[in-house]
Amino acid sequence: MSFYRIYRPKVLDEIDNAAVRQTIELLLTKSKEELPHAYLLTGPKGTGKTTTARVIAKLFNCDKPEKNSLPNQVTGAPCGSCGQCQAIADGRHLDVMEIDAASNTGVDNIRDLRDRVALAPAQAKWKIYIIDEVHMLSTGAFNALLKTLEEPPAHAIFILATTDPQKIPSTIISRCQHIAFGKARKEDLIHALARIVAQEKMDIEDDALACIANHADGSFRDAVKNLEQISFQKGTVTVEIVQKTLGISEDNRRDSFLTNVLKHDAKAALIDIQAIVGQGIDVKSFLIDCLTQLEQRLITQVTTQKTNASTSQLRSLIGRLTQAYTELRSSPIPELPLELAVVEYCQDSVMGDTPNITRPETVTHEPSLLKASSVSPATSHTTPKAIDDNQPKTSLGLVTLEQLIEHWKDVIDELKPYNHSVAAICRSTRPKTVDDGIVTIEAFYPFHKEKLSEVKTREMIALVLKKLFGEKVRVEVVLGKK
């Protein structure tokens, strides 16, 4: 059985989230009859919502409640060992029903619950309904649930849990006692892991335990799952073993990458990316580590003005890497969005954050097509002029689909001095149509289409096409299938 199931907290004292534990302890200051009949547990995944819901269920139905030294305590804390507590922990208690709202979203499911809730409990004093992911209920189901929450039977207790409270109607929220679960603190995660390490008699360094906690993103379940993965290692578990097993980037590798990017050394940064990929480090985790580090630098920059990189540089890089993070899921190559972000950031920095359609004067790239012979050699050493909007809109017929397909590689080569990332994306595209002065380019990935559809990018491509073919065109981008 998995660690997170074996070592799930069973009594109040085992809840590792200190803030939540203190909130539940406040319930002990009243008798069970005076306690609220509905609870709403909200927070990120893996923070202990379902576990706490079961502890609350035990609080109501425990046969041998234990009192301790808590001030003004009236209701006893659940013992965790009586028949009622054991049945709840095992999921076999007849009067404690756990319902997955994601699988029971309809109004008929809630109406059935409403019909059954009126029946008296079978083996305990209280009937507990735990509805997980309650935000998945339909509007009709919420309306049916609302009626039950407004006028519940005296023996009924409702515990609703969700990771997305914004989707829950305010009429439901107003009838519940709200318990908020924030991301677990590092100290709480280490405390939870240390309890398991002691039970499993694992030999693990404190720094390695802290590394697992840092990588859990505030989730108890993820931290315990990662510890279980580490538990298969033989001998003393070190930080290096944790990093290798979980695919976590080393601090020196991350720091080297960020230093190279902030120095606008795209070549060195790309080498760093290839190195982390070669080591089997998860690109998503690496990006999260980088963004966490940049966030800390940005806060330091704003509050103390001691960092080397300017605030605008940090903001720009954070924006680029955040965009790369959102594109990871749709990218056919995991590291490609990160590589494009690095190239674009460094390119923009070299260009002084000017629009990419402005070509640096130092570039001396000769035209590739015979059609471009009308452009004098001197022109290739100077910044191209923007396309004149007063130029006639009618097509001259100088750009044809056949020529564009034949010389598409030359177009890509000509794009490189303007923007390397756009040129790289164009390698995965192809000309689709040329019709009345409109060149349509077909992209095959959503984030490629999104990038090429930017106004400045389409203007840049149009400028290159005019230079090579001698005709002003308008560029459009569509999403196609290979």
Side-chain angles (χ1 to χ4, degrees), residues 216-233:
D217 192 28
S219 169
F220 286 106
R221 184 167 58 238
D222 289 350
V224 174
K225 180 185 66 177
N226 290 337
L227 179 64
E228 181 177 14
Q229 187 174 348
I230 298 297
S231 68
F232 294 101
Q233 300 291 332

Side-chain angles (χ1 to χ4, degrees), residues 21 25 48 77 95 229 245 248 256 311 376 417-418 422 444:
R21 185 174 63 252
E25 287 173 351
D95 296 321
Q229 187 174 348
T245 304
I248 304 174
S256 170
T311 303
S376 63
Y418 298 100
V422 172
F444 303 103

Side-chain angles (χ1 to χ4, degrees), residues 347 350-368 372 375-387 410-420 456 459-461 463-468:
Q347 181 75 14
V350 171
M351 303 284 285
D353 289 326
T354 56
N356 288 336
I357 60 172
T358 304
R359 185 174 175 180
E361 295 185 3
T362 55
V363 176
T364 59
H365 187 81
E366 292 298 327
S368 302
V375 182
S376 63
T379 316
S380 63
H381 294 269
T382 59
T383 303
K385 296 181 180 180
I387 300 175
D410 299 307
V411 174
I412 294 171
D413 291 339
E414 190 69 17
L415 279 169
K416 288 180 181 178
Y418 298 100
N419 191 306
H420 283 278
K456 64 180 182 180
E459 289 179 351
M460 180 205 313
I461 298 172
L463 191 62
V464 168
L465 293 176
K466 183 177 186 296
K467 181 181 185 312
L468 295 180

Side-chain angles (χ1 to χ4, degrees), residues 256-266 268 313 345-346 349-350:
S256 170
F257 169 75
L258 291 177
T259 299
N260 289 327
V261 175
L262 290 171
K263 286 166 52 181
H264 318 308
D265 189 346
Q313 284 180 310
Y345 172 80
C346 295
S349 300
V350 171

Side-chain angles (χ1 to χ4, degrees), residues 262 293-315:
L262 290 171
Q293 180 73 7
L294 289 172
E295 178 200 20
Q296 295 171 354
R297 292 191 190 186
L298 180 63
I299 293 173
T300 303
Q301 172 72 16
V302 173
T303 57
T304 67
Q305 297 292 320
K306 291 183 179 180
T307 53
N308 295 324
S310 68
T311 303
S312 60
Q313 284 180 310
L314 290 174
R315 287 174 54 195

Side-chain angles (χ1 to χ4, degrees), residues 7-23:
Y7 298 104
R8 181 184 295 230
K10 295 179 174 59
V11 294
L12 183 57
D13 290 340
E14 292 180 355
I15 295 178
D16 296 291
N17 190 319
V20 172
R21 185 174 63 252
Q22 292 168 5
T23 301

